[in-house]
Amino acid sequence: MAEIEAIARMVNQLARLPGVGRKTAQRLAYHILEMPEDQVRELAVAIFDGKKKVKLCPVCGNYTEGKLCAICRDSQRRRDIVCVVKDPRDVNAMERMRDYNGLYHVLHGVISPMDGVGPDDIRIRELLSRLGEGEIREVVLATNPDVEGEATAAYISRLIKPLGVKVTRIAHGVPVGGELEYTDEITLMRAFQGRREL
Amino acid sequence: MAEIEAIARMVNQLARLPGVGRKTAQRLAYHILEMPEDQVRELAVAIFDGKKKVKLCPVCGNYTEGKLCAICRDSQRRRDIVCVVKDPRDVNAMERMRDYNGLYHVLHGVISPMDGVGPDDIRIRELLSRLGEGEIREVVLATNPDVEGEATAAYISRLIKPLGVKVTRIAHGVPVGGELEYTDEITLMRAFQGRREL
């Protein structure tokens, strides 16, 4: 069916999505061809409208359909603590734990010289200008516990500490429900170093 | 992020695709939000245009962007033999073997009483009317070797044979490169029954 250009184009576009190989893209394309036209329209519109309507919150960088995001707008939340995360998905993860009541700052990336991403390519400047307003007293660095996440946390920490703001890092350790036997050495070392008196 | 309706709608729509669960749909949605807007437009347009532009060939039922499909249009192909398949994907599979030079007839389904699909719900009537034109001398039934495919082949065979047309079924047997040891009994039985003198 390679000669049908409209199908080939659909397959090519779908195959650009992450985790979608050519075979999967073909399967999806044929499924879409079998769907009723109004359902296909709904799918295409949902994709395009979603992209068009969803903006970044000018304060924290989280996704929003309005001007400020729902969290920045929420007057019930503490404004003196900010949790710094890599991307909006991490905001979701933090919100799922239902234990944090402060604000967020979404970096939209982490420092990664290998990928050509420097400090100016992520929203660090915006974080500094938020801190300049003087309301924030603690910054919790919640980037991932991988090389780039650690480096980004260390970089931001060095930058912020001189401003007299408390800077904390989320704890590393054995995951709840995990087993020591299957925990890698570095995590175990971090868990040991981070031990607390009971 | 459940409160952002445009994202929720995108996730819901993507989750309706086959093999795409909620987690995958979320991953795809967030990826789409990070894509440049013109790339997202290309994706949405490719999906919707594909669906709108691709029609069924009025003769064989295969997909086509024009009126007749490329195979029905091709004057180099034999017009006296028709290979009956379940859906357009099977046409692709047959064409990949590069050994068949006749026409196709796409049923768009197989008889399956369990799913409420009867003989009138698939393109059997259209096959009979093609046979009525008198040019076709052999019908190769190439539906899948599963229960529904076999039942559909048997049904069509009974219907066509009285018309004096040669009806054949693709051979079942041990797949090339397969091993006897790992071949199921029914396939092995079919392979044995279909043995040929060398």
Side-chain angles (χ1 to χ4, degrees), chain B residues 120-139:
Chain B
D120 290 343
D121 300 315
I122 60 177
R123 299 178 70 258
I124 292 179
R125 215 179 307 115
E126 289 85 343
L127 176 62
L128 293 177
S129 93
R130 283 179 81 178
L131 293 175
E133 288 162 19
E135 220 178 347
I136 297 163
R137 311 197 54 180
E138 180 176 349
V139 172

Side-chain angles (χ1 to χ4, degrees), chain A residues 167-180:
Chain A
V167 182
T168 56
R169 177 90 175 106
I170 51 165
H172 297 310
V174 183
V176 178
E179 292 188 49
L180 284 196

Side-chain angles (χ1 to χ4, degrees), chain A residues 1 27 30-31 34, chain B residues 87-94 96:
Chain A
M1 218 66 85
R27 196 166 43 84
Y30 281 110
H31 178 85
E34 279 159 25
Chain B
D87 61 41
R89 263 164 283 205
D90 299 328
V91 173
N92 282 2
M94 292 293 290
R96 271 198 298 274

Side-chain angles (χ1 to χ4, degrees), chain A residues 1 3-7 9-10 13-14 16-18 27-28 30-37 39-44 46-48 50-54 62-65 70 88-89 92, chain B residues 1 3-7 9-10 13-14 16-18 27-28 30-37 39-44 46-48 50-54 62-65 70 88-89 92:
Chain A
M1 218 66 85
E3 82 271 13
I4 302 186
E5 210 225 312
I7 300 183
R9 203 164 48 232
M10 207 196 293
Q13 287 294 331
L14 290 168
R16 294 171 75 175
L17 294 173
R27 196 166 43 84
L28 291 176
Y30 281 110
H31 178 85
I32 289 167
L33 289 173
E34 279 159 25
M35 278 162 59
E37 191 170 314
Q39 267 182 36
V40 178
R41 182 183 288 114
E42 278 173 37
L43 171 66
I47 288 172
F48 188 59
K51 174 64 188 172
K52 251 189 14 193
K53 285 185 184 162
V54 177
N62 192 7
Y63 287 135
T64 176
E65 261 190 284
R89 263 164 284 204
N92 283 2
Chain B
M1 219 64 84
E3 82 269 15
I4 302 185
E5 210 226 311
I7 299 182
R9 203 166 46 232
M10 208 195 295
Q13 287 294 332
L14 290 167
R16 292 171 76 175
L17 295 172
R27 195 165 45 82
L28 291 176
Y30 281 111
H31 178 86
I32 289 168
L33 289 173
E34 280 158 25
M35 279 162 59
E37 190 170 315
Q39 267 183 38
V40 178
R41 181 183 288 117
E42 276 174 38
L43 171 66
I47 288 172
F48 188 59
K51 174 63 188 175
K52 251 188 17 191
K53 284 185 183 162
V54 176
N62 192 8
Y63 287 136
T64 176
E65 262 191 283
R89 263 164 283 205
N92 282 2

